[in-house]
Amino acid sequence: MSEAKVKVVEDLPGVGPAIAEKLRDAGYDTLEAIGTQAPGTLSDATGIGKESCSKFIAEARKAANIGSFLTGTELMEKRATVGKLTTGAEAFNELLGGGVETQSITEFYGQYGSGKTQFVLQLAVNTLLPVEQGGLGGEVAIIDTENTFRPERIISMSKALDLDPDEVLSKIHVGRAYNSHQQMLMVEKVSEIAKERPIKMLAVDSLTGAFRAEYIGRGTLADRQGKINAHMTELARFGDLNNAAVVVTNQVSSNPAAFFGDPTKPIGGNIVGHTSKFRVYLRRGKAGKRVCRLVDSPHLPENEALVSITEDGIRDG
Ligand code: GTP
Ligand code: MG
């Protein structure tokens, strides 16, 4: 089989319908998702032998052009197109180097009530603002896995910014996902919407909730991580192709009975961490304020900003 013809998973040499199904079932339904994987992880997640997985990965890489080089000039040009989306709080924008970046995944993690959903809603409204006002002048897609999207909040936040609430609501596309499988499929759906509408922000609230509920026990961990990884790869790709900000929320593991593990650790561990370029840990501060901590960013110092969640939305603390 000629490698030039490899376009979808089924085209990979050695992949028949049965293997393709195993790959797809584990969430590896694109060449990118396979090509960015390590053989052991792919093997664990799909039950396919490690040697075969190595071959599939190598072929997928070639076909999807993964690992090819760009010149510094090309990278500079790409970097110049990165947009910065205001969070509504100046101190926090500064912490992020100007705001939430397009072409990257930004993760908000923290306990229940820490404000993750409020950030998603605020960033959604702000995306509609023109670029001169810190927005992205575009529309929004939200994959809502916990049924926490609240139009009332969008209305309050819009009014506070002198935006027409009806217009704002008409430009926020909300997809309710009832399980992790639907959640993953919805990224494709959003890609379709993005062909017609200028989607400049895609949020997944929550990224890990459904996975956490569905994959219980140690034996299923590799499978879960494989799927989360594939999902994140698709999200990153969406951000890249559409010059959109990608925002995901993540809870922390808070099992008080667990002697091992840090209760302030985000779910999904390294898999989520490696793909999120910006990770923000939210926690409650004094007098209803929230402390936003930027965690392991490659080019920004680890630091904190204080914000308030008000009727009008997120503001400086
Ligand atoms: P989980 O999804 O349960 O993990 O929580 P979360 O991190 O998404 O928390 P969420 O963003 O839902 O934050 C809820 C908190 O935001 C509430 O406890 C309030 O403190 C605050 N909040 C929400 N709406 C309003 C509002 O209209 N006015 C004010 N002042 N605060 C609000
Ligand atoms: Mg929430």
Side-chain angles (χ1 to χ4, degrees), residues 220-237:
T220 57
L221 196 65
D223 193 11
R224 180 182 91 175
Q225 297 301 79
K227 286 208 173 157
I228 294 179
N229 187 40
H231 188 37
M232 293 287 281
T233 306
E234 287 305 308
L235 292 171
R237 200 170 130 79

Side-chain angles (χ1 to χ4, degrees), residues 113 115-118 146 148 205-206 249 251:
K116 303 179 291 294
T117 297
Q118 297 304 309
E146 314 208 299
T148 50
D205 185 15
S206 133
T249 69
Q251 273 218 330

Side-chain angles (χ1 to χ4, degrees), residues 287-309:
K289 302 206 190 293
R290 299 295 190 281
V291 183
C292 315
R293 165 168 279 270
L294 185 66
V295 183
D296 26 86
S297 162
H299 61 284
L300 293 166
E302 179 155 329
N303 217 332
E304 294 186 343
L306 204 59
V307 305
S308 297
I309 303 177

